Amino acid sequence: MDIVTQGLLGAVVAQSAARPSQARLAAAVGFIAGLLADADIFIRSPDDPLLVLEYHRQFTHSLLFVPIGGLVATVLLWPFLRRRINFGQLYPLAVLGYLPSGLLDACTSYGTQLFWPVSEARIAWNLIAVVDPLFSGVLIIALGWGLLKSTPLPARLGLGIAVLYLLVGLAQRERVENIITTFAESQGQRIERLEAKPTLGNIILWRTIYETNGRFYVNAVRAGVFSEPRIYPGGSIEHFSPERLDGLKTGSVLAQDIDRFTDFSDGYIIQYPNRPCILGDIRYAMLPTQLIPLWGIELDLARQNQHVRFRTFRHLDETTRRAFLDMLLGRPLEQAASPSPDSNSDASAQLRCRPD
């Protein structure tokens, strides 16, 4: 989730458990503690672009790390708050503020190592987008009301509404998965694996990716609450396999980086249409029907002992904005906004990768 909402949820959780006399102080402690887990973004290396991907949402977001994270927050805040609250009272509030960071991130689609070091699996429940104004707005109102009245009651109410919103997201995800499964069966396809994720800022419009016979199929589903669902067909593209790279050396830095990126992306890897030297994470795109991922790694088979370059592709123009809004509102798409230029892409004919 975005870092501000992480802090807001930490503040609301801590405030909900505080005495009325400590409601405002608890909110401040919870907000700062809620931000602390995302300090892992500073674990990076200029020589290894994938390091930040490996450590973001890793040990600092683990449930087993919560007591340690709370202790770190307490130590940082204690010099400023020691005249207002003792250490023994401050620590539980910091733990409560830190606790929801990993859980909230696991509700998104990025992947969170919630049970590290017991398991390095990245948990992604796909219930909410990384930015959702409605969810954040509920927390802002609850927190502001609690600060104004100096009572934990609004925080408890806001926390309940936030949990209810996530449950609605769960119901929407299950609904979308059923819709796209039926759609695939109507096309004579048997889904081998499927992922559905809400698009930015809402739980109405969803991006779906399913795999069958070595290809990924991408579609958008608008699952309106009071309207019939609508499917916006996208395209398909081959699932990337390292065996298709001519000259890739087993055990090389390049081969290891491809494995690392594949693990991070949960195997949803493709070669960019018309740019086979770039591998992308097909789970994310500017439009829910597009095959062009938001990010990827650039390969150079001539320099296999060097780390890959990390590339981002976030071109947002008026056509893209209009197409997204049309899908969100359930309107038909204009032909110019359709994903046809990259539909049914196949990069298999271009496997001898060199940088552009």
Side-chain angles (χ1 to χ4, degrees), residues 44-54 56 110 254 257-258 260-262 264-265 268-269 272 275 277-284 293-300 306-314 355:
R44 58 180 65 224
S45 167
D47 300 320
D48 183 3
L50 298 186
L51 188 68
V52 67
L53 297 182
E54 288 185 328
H56 185 42
Y110 188 86
L254 177 59
D257 281 355
I258 291 174
R260 293 164 68 196
F261 188 67
T262 300
F264 166 77
S265 304
Y268 284 87
I269 300 295
Y272 271 56
R275 304 184 71 177
C277 291
I278 297 178
L279 304 183
D281 184 343
I282 192 63
R283 297 177 300 171
Y284 304 95
L294 284 177
W295 53 69
I297 56 174
E298 186 173 9
L299 313 181
D300 185 355
Q306 294 182 5
H307 285 293
V308 296
R309 291 176 58 194
F310 187 77
R311 302 284 298 275
T312 58
F313 303 87
R314 293 190 174 98

Side-chain angles (χ1 to χ4, degrees), residues 10 38 42 108 113 133 161 186 223 245 257 273 283 310 316 330 352:
D38 280 337
F42 296 109
T108 68
Q113 293 189 26
I161 295 174
S186 73
L245 285 176
D257 281 355
R283 297 177 300 171
F310 187 77
L316 179 62
R352 299 185 63 85

Side-chain angles (χ1 to χ4, degrees), residues 3-31:
I3 191 169
V4 174
T5 304
Q6 293 277 29
L8 290 171
L9 184 58
V12 168
V13 170
Q15 190 181 63
S16 68
R19 298 194 300 267
S21 61
Q22 291 184 334
R24 292 175 179 172
L25 180 63
V29 172
F31 184 85

Side-chain angles (χ1 to χ4, degrees), residues 216 238-242 244-245 258 262 269-271 279 299:
F216 291 119
E238 283 187 309
H239 182 178
F240 168 77
S241 174
R244 294 171 51 218
L245 285 176
I258 291 174
T262 300
I269 300 295
I270 60 136
Q271 287 178 283
L279 304 183
L299 313 181

Side-chain angles (χ1 to χ4, degrees), residues 73-353:
T74 303
V75 170
L76 292 175
L77 292 170
W78 173 243
F80 304 98
L81 301 177
R82 64 180 185 273
R83 295 182 179 178
R84 299 187 58 185
I85 187 173
N86 64 51
F87 194 94
Q89 293 175 320
L90 178 59
Y91 177 67
L93 295 178
V95 168
L96 287 172
Y98 194 96
L99 173 63
S101 294
L103 290 169
L104 183 58
D105 277 340
C107 291
T108 68
S109 61
Y110 188 86
T112 304
Q113 293 189 26
L114 201 58
F115 304 109
W116 181 94
V118 176
S119 171
E120 294 187 354
R122 289 187 173 271
I123 307 300
W125 291 319
N126 299 323
L127 308 181
I128 191 172
V130 293
V131 176
D132 191 310
L134 185 57
F135 183 84
S136 301
V138 168
L139 299 178
I140 290 172
I141 293 172
L143 183 60
W145 184 10
L147 291 174
L148 182 64
K149 298 296 184 179
S150 191
T151 173
L153 182 60
R156 295 167 186 169
L157 180 61
L159 189 59
I161 295 174
V163 171
L164 179 61
Y165 186 82
L166 294 175
L167 291 176
V168 173
L170 173 61
Q172 283 286 83
R173 189 200 70 194
E174 295 294 318
R175 181 185 176 200
V176 168
E177 289 178 352
N178 289 333
I179 291 169
I180 208 66
T181 298
T182 301
F183 172 78
E185 290 174 350
S186 73
Q187 305 298 308
Q189 297 168 335
R190 183 181 65 84
I191 293 179
E192 297 168 11
R193 62 171 173 164
L194 165 66
E195 186 156 318
K197 58 182 76 290
T199 57
L200 190 66
N202 73 99
I203 54 174
I204 299 297
L205 181 63
W206 294 67
R207 175 177 174 86
T208 68
I209 310 100
Y210 66 84
E211 183 178 6
T212 182
N213 295 326
R215 297 187 73 88
F216 291 119
Y217 292 79
V218 177
N219 301 278
V221 177
R222 184 188 185 274
V225 178
F226 302 108
S227 61
E228 290 295 317
R230 182 166 190 164
I231 297 175
Y232 294 92
S236 72
I237 192 168
E238 283 187 309
H239 182 178
F240 168 77
S241 174
E243 288 75 20
R244 294 171 51 218
L245 285 176
D246 183 20
L248 180 64
K249 299 176 182 177
T250 303
S252 64
V253 173
L254 177 59
Q256 292 174 19
D257 281 355
I258 291 174
D259 288 342
R260 293 164 68 196
F261 188 67
T262 300
D263 181 66
F264 166 77
S265 304
D266 196 24
Y268 284 87
I269 300 295
I270 60 136
Q271 287 178 283
Y272 271 56
N274 304 317
R275 304 184 71 177
C277 291
I278 297 178
L279 304 183
D281 184 343
I282 192 63
R283 297 177 300 171
Y284 304 95
M286 291 299 295
L287 279 178
T289 52
Q290 284 183 339
L291 297 175
I292 303 296
L294 284 177
W295 53 69
I297 56 174
E298 186 173 9
L299 313 181
D300 185 355
L301 289 173
R303 298 179 175 86
Q304 298 197 31
N305 289 322
Q306 294 182 5
H307 285 293
V308 296
R309 291 176 58 194
F310 187 77
R311 302 284 298 275
T312 58
F313 303 87
R314 293 190 174 98
H315 178 64
L316 179 62
D317 56 21
E318 183 58 33
T319 300
T320 301
R321 283 192 290 266
R322 185 169 61 249
F324 180 84
L325 184 59
D326 285 344
M327 284 187 279
L328 182 60
L329 297 177
R331 301 168 180 165
L333 282 182
E334 298 178 11
Q335 186 63 32
S338 71
S340 56
D342 59 356
S343 294
N344 304 314
S345 297
D346 188 344
S348 62
Q350 305 179 35
L351 300 179
R352 299 185 63 85
C353 286

